[in-house]
Amino acid sequence: EAGVVQSPRYKIIEKKQPVAFWCNPISGHNTLYWYRQNLGQGPELLIRYENEEAVDDSQLPKDRFSAERLKGVDSTLKIQPAELGDSAVYLCASSRRDGHVYTQYFGPGTRLTVL
Amino acid sequence: AQTVTQSQPEMSVQEAETVTLSCTYDTSENNYYLFWYKQPPSRQMILVIRQEAYKQQNATENRFSVNFQKAAKSFSLKISDSQLGDTAMYFCAFIYSNSGYALNFGKGTSLLVTP
């Protein structure tokens, strides 16, 4: 089966500009996650979707970040306006149940550089 | 709150040798799951191995095995017959319950396999 697809792989923008990231999860995976990974750190959750519903967005900076998952498949994460501190890798993951555990599968990520 | 600690920022091993990466975690939950993910320089986060806390038997996947000590809250990863392609960041991660919740990651261990 095809893996999680993300685009773009790299994005360089100037501060105060908008930016958007796109994710296509593995077919049939109902749960989708957006993580942010700062340099030298493990990923941290931004938002989790169950189908088209955002069920955990407590870590999403809502003043500048927004996300949507139309029709419960593809998802878009947007930042407007971007700040220098938003430079990071943005990872998308989707999950399915393997036996008794939900296993998360990650995309290749988008490396964002804000100048 | 659940926390995951990886006390070894960097490790090095020679090809064909065995190396063990350490991970400890803190939780008051009884039903949880532990994972090791590998992140090569290409950034793709790849699942290496997973362990259900209710299972006493340590998980094994080819050259990768874990030493799960529930009472000590320890979850180390052993890589046998190390290969150059094992060079990567290794993240220990924790999730409680068997739902689609977000993973809690450690800060990672950078493993270098040398010829």
Side-chain angles (χ1 to χ4, degrees), chain A:
Chain A
E1 62 184 359
V4 176
V5 179
Q6 288 188 249
S7 68
R9 291 295 308 274
Y10 304 89
K11 190 74 177 179
I12 301 174
I13 61 172
E14 294 191 346
K15 63 181 181 181
K16 301 185 181 180
Q17 294 299 305
V19 65
F21 315 122
W22 176 80
C23 173
N24 180 246
I26 295 172
S27 177
H29 286 198
N30 295 331
T31 309
L32 183 146
Y33 314 75
W34 282 102
Y35 289 86
R36 177 167 60 186
Q37 185 176 20
N38 293 315
L39 187 64
Q41 303 290 320
E44 294 180 330
L45 181 74
L46 290 173
I47 189 168
R48 172 171 67 98
Y49 282 92
E50 293 289 346
N51 298 305
E52 65 273 11
E53 181 183 0
V55 295
D56 183 359
D57 63 355
S58 58
Q59 301 303 312
L60 190 72
K62 298 181 183 62
D63 57 335
R64 298 183 300 107
F65 285 65
S66 64
E68 62 182 8
R69 190 183 184 196
L70 299 177
K71 300 181 181 179
V73 182
D74 294 3
S75 177
T76 301
L77 178 69
K78 298 178 181 177
I79 308 175
Q80 183 172 10
E83 296 179 352
L84 295 176
D86 296 331
S87 293
V89 175
Y90 291 83
L91 296 168
C92 178
S94 65
S95 70
R96 68 172 184 216
R97 185 164 178 158
D98 289 328
H100 295 286
V101 61
Y102 282 80
T103 299
Q104 296 183 28
Y105 298 87
F106 286 80
T110 297
R111 181 180 296 279
L112 173 67
T113 301
V114 182
L115 303 175

Side-chain angles (χ1 to χ4, degrees), chain B residues 61-78:
Chain B
E61 288 287 343
N62 300 314
R63 298 182 295 108
F64 300 88
S65 62
V66 299
N67 182 5
F68 174 48
Q69 301 290 327
K70 189 172 183 178
K73 297 181 181 177
S74 171
F75 182 61
S76 61
L77 174 70
K78 185 172 81 172

Side-chain angles (χ1 to χ4, degrees), chain A residues 9-10 31 33 35 37 40-43 45 48 50 89 91 95 97-98 100-111, chain B residues 33 35 37 39 41-47 50 52 54-55 89 91 95 97-108:
Chain A
R9 291 295 308 274
Y10 304 89
T31 309
Y33 314 75
Y35 289 86
Q37 185 176 20
Q41 303 290 320
L45 181 74
R48 172 171 67 98
E50 293 289 346
V89 175
L91 296 168
S95 70
R97 185 164 178 158
D98 289 328
H100 295 286
V101 61
Y102 282 80
T103 299
Q104 296 183 28
Y105 298 87
F106 286 80
T110 297
R111 181 180 296 279
Chain B
Y33 303 83
F35 303 82
Y37 280 87
Q39 190 176 40
S42 65
R43 287 203 315 273
Q44 184 91 40
M45 192 79 76
I46 302 166
L47 177 68
R50 66 171 181 246
E52 291 96 318
Y54 64 85
K55 289 187 176 179
M89 281 290 290
F91 290 96
I95 189 169
S97 92
N98 60 352
S99 70
Y101 294 158
L103 289 162
N104 289 285
F105 285 90
K107 291 188 175 182

Side-chain angles (χ1 to χ4, degrees), chain B residues 20-64:
Chain B
T20 298
L21 310 183
S22 301
C23 173
T24 59
Y25 58 94
D26 185 26
T27 183
S28 57
E29 300 287 335
N30 193 48
N31 184 26
Y32 55 88
Y33 303 83
L34 295 158
F35 303 82
W36 279 97
Y37 280 87
K38 166 186 175 182
Q39 190 176 40
S42 65
R43 287 203 315 273
Q44 184 91 40
M45 192 79 76
I46 302 166
L47 177 68
V48 175
I49 198 166
R50 66 171 181 246
Q51 174 81 43
E52 291 96 318
Y54 64 85
K55 289 187 176 179
Q56 292 186 342
Q57 186 174 6
N58 289 326
T60 299
E61 288 287 343
N62 300 314
R63 298 182 295 108
F64 300 88

